[in-house]
Amino acid sequence: MKNIFLALVLTFIGFTVQAQETKNKNAKYDIEVNGNCEQCKKRIEKAAYGVIGVKLAEWHVDDHILHLILNEEKTSLASVTKAIAKVGHDTDETKASQEDYDNLHHCCKYERK
């Protein structure tokens, strides 16, 4: 009886350990972020770095791609895109509110989709 109980407990522990999702401490993402200039670059990168867990944020003016490395134990891609939208820049996942977009400098106002 003890052996059966022990086997059941070990089986349960095995399934529990497998069910836990492992988070990547160096998850890499490339996302499109709308913007126009170096002023946008500074704003986008500052917003991304303002999210705890972001290790690298580099936005390129020429292709509008933000290269991210983040610790998924501390944050998520959704948190980063929300922070970027809050400063007025649209991403594929999150759109900035009209008010946040309107607060951008006139040279930073990109064509919205």
Side-chain angles (χ1 to χ4, degrees):
M1 185 68 179
K2 278 186 178 181
N3 290 339
I4 294 172
F5 179 74
L6 184 61
L8 287 173
V9 169
L10 289 176
T11 303
F12 177 75
I13 289 172
F15 283 122
T16 303
V17 170
Q18 285 180 345
Q20 292 179 354
E21 183 180 339
T22 57
K23 305 268 181 161
N24 189 346
K25 291 186 179 183
N26 291 306
K28 295 179 182 179
Y29 295 96
D30 291 331
I31 60 171
E32 185 176 348
V33 180
N34 293 324
N36 291 330
C37 61
E38 287 296 320
Q39 197 173 18
C40 295
K41 176 181 173 64
K42 289 178 186 175
R43 186 181 310 105
I44 291 165
E45 291 175 357
K46 183 177 179 181
Y49 278 122
V51 178
I52 294 172
V54 173
K55 295 181 175 184
L56 175 89
E58 189 175 284
W59 186 74
H60 296 274
V61 176
D62 55 342
D63 62 2
H64 299 176
I65 299 296
L66 176 65
H67 302 283
L68 284 171
I69 298 177
L70 53 94
N71 182 341
E72 291 181 323
E73 291 179 350
K74 296 182 179 180
T75 193
S76 66
L77 182 59
S79 296
V80 177
T81 59
K82 286 178 188 174
I84 292 168
K86 188 68 183 148
V87 296
H89 294 275
D90 293 343
T91 68
D92 290 337
E93 289 84 23
T94 309
K95 303 295 179 201
S97 70
Q98 189 62 44
E99 180 182 351
D100 291 333
Y101 175 78
D102 290 341
N103 288 333
L104 291 175
H105 188 267
H106 71 282
C107 78
C108 296
K109 292 190 177 178
Y110 50 90
E111 188 177 324
R112 295 187 92 176
K113 297 176 185 175

